[in-house]
Amino acid sequence: MDKEMRQPLIVGNWKMNGGLSDSIRLVTNLKNQLNEKNQVEVVVAPPFTSLHSVSIAISETKIRLAGQNMFWEESGAYTGEISGLFLKESGCDFVILGHSERRQFFKESDEQINLKVQAACKSELIPILCIGEKLKERQAKETLNVVEKQLKIGLKDLAIHDFETIVIAYEPVWAIGTGETPQTEQIEEVHHFIRGWLKRYFDAPTANMTRLLYGGSVQPENAASLMQIDEVDGLLVGGASLHTEDFIKIIHFEENR
Ligand code: PEP
């Protein structure tokens, strides 16, 4: 299966921006402006407290819902945590895991992220596993080692059928929210490496099903060229997903080429 066979996926991560009324405003604008004939799969990740209401708002559309994080236990004395079952019950099909902000501010380790990835699959959520190097690591030519470690630990002990849906997002930390995007060759190198690693670790048919996203300062102006890069099957969008016009232009990238 090659790139043409994998449905493009564009995910908007709203992070901790806006409460319920902002989420409803954003998703209503998105619904109204989205060309439903578009072949791109569109996912939004609002804050937890907006999930249920947003799921009702998108129930008649093809837009799908993601959590921004979850805990690996199903329930119990874990104050402040949210389980995969709760996300599922709130209407989510996806969950973003291992985002660099979780790694940086909440000190999430690859081992903890792996427990979350496993728990997500058990709850029938599609994990969007985020990986990527920091600027210092790139400068030290450590990028591929960092990415390999994140993959190796993050995807440990998964069943092969989990890979039929899992999504991997390559997000160089230095490109997130900075306005800086890597050169095409840099993205291509890492995406090729990830696909190759998946082929070696699992098998070619499985690796060829996995959608690989790029994330980091995606804007309407660069979406089409990013989507043209070999092995880039979609985009994970932060800041620009909070501006419906921009997010729509990114989703409709083919029309804006
Ligand atoms: C992100 O946070 O995953 C992200 C890619 O953010 P931005 O698009 O704002 O760089």
Side-chain angles (χ1 to χ4, degrees), residues 201-235:
Y201 199 75
F202 297 99
D203 56 46
T206 312
N208 285 338
M209 273 193 284
T210 310
R211 285 185 289 182
L212 306 184
L213 310 186
Y214 165 77
S217 297
V218 176
Q219 293 295 333
E221 296 74 27
N222 59 17
S225 51
L226 288 167
M227 285 299 293
Q228 272 183 314
I229 299 176
D230 209 23
E231 304 292 0
V232 171
D233 303 310
L235 304 168

Side-chain angles (χ1 to χ4, degrees), residues 2-209:
D2 52 12
K3 183 163 169 154
E4 287 68 42
M5 306 290 285
R6 295 184 288 267
Q7 186 185 16
L9 170 63
I10 295 188
V11 182
N13 175 13
W14 296 352
K15 310 192 182 187
M16 199 179 76
N17 289 299
L20 185 55
S21 55
D22 279 320
S23 294
I24 295 299
R25 180 183 49 78
L26 272 181
V27 81
T28 307
N29 290 342
L30 182 61
K31 241 174 32 170
N32 292 342
Q33 293 178 43
L34 195 63
N35 172 0
E36 279 282 306
K37 288 201 202 102
N38 195 284
Q39 292 308 307
V40 173
E41 184 169 33
V42 178
V43 176
V44 291
F48 288 143
T49 48
S50 300
L51 285 174
H52 180 59
S53 304
V54 171
S55 88
I56 293 169
I58 60 177
S59 58
E60 306 281 304
T61 75
K62 290 199 285 186
I63 303 168
R64 297 170 82 187
L65 200 59
Q68 297 177 15
N69 178 35
M70 58 173 266
F71 190 50
W72 55 80
E73 295 291 345
E74 285 184 1
S75 63
Y78 304 104
T79 303
E81 292 294 333
I82 292 278
S83 81
L85 290 180
F86 301 170
L87 291 183
K88 197 76 196 160
E89 196 181 37
S90 301
C92 292
D93 293 311
F94 292 80
V95 58
I96 298 171
L97 294 173
H99 190 279
S100 72
E101 287 150 17
R102 301 288 323 165
R103 294 176 189 262
Q104 182 186 347
F105 300 123
F106 304 96
K107 308 289 171 235
E108 285 191 14
S109 66
D110 286 315
E111 287 75 10
Q112 290 172 325
I113 293 161
N114 173 248
L115 291 176
K116 294 182 180 200
V117 172
Q118 291 190 49
C121 293
K122 224 170 119 197
S123 304
E124 297 184 356
L125 287 163
I126 299 172
I128 302 171
L129 172 64
C130 301
I131 58 175
E133 82 287 2
K134 300 188 190 108
L135 184 58
K136 267 194 182 154
E137 293 165 335
R138 174 158 287 276
Q139 286 165 339
K141 304 206 182 322
E142 281 297 318
T143 299
L144 298 184
N145 291 338
V146 169
V147 164
E148 180 166 28
K149 178 171 173 269
Q150 291 170 334
L151 286 172
K152 208 169 174 174
I153 304 175
L155 299 177
K156 209 167 139 258
D157 295 333
L158 286 193
I160 201 132
H161 60 79
D162 293 331
F163 277 86
E164 286 163 17
T165 54
I166 200 166
V167 175
I168 295 171
Y170 169 56
E171 300 205 295
V173 179
W174 50 275
I176 297 179
T178 58
E180 258 190 77
T181 43
Q183 292 160 359
T184 300
E185 303 73 47
Q186 293 176 318
I187 299 175
E188 210 164 49
E189 181 192 28
V190 179
H191 276 244
H192 271 288
F193 176 80
I194 298 170
R195 186 83 63 205
W197 186 88
L198 289 170
K199 282 184 185 163
R200 286 197 306 281
Y201 199 75
F202 297 99
D203 56 46
T206 312
N208 285 338
M209 273 193 284

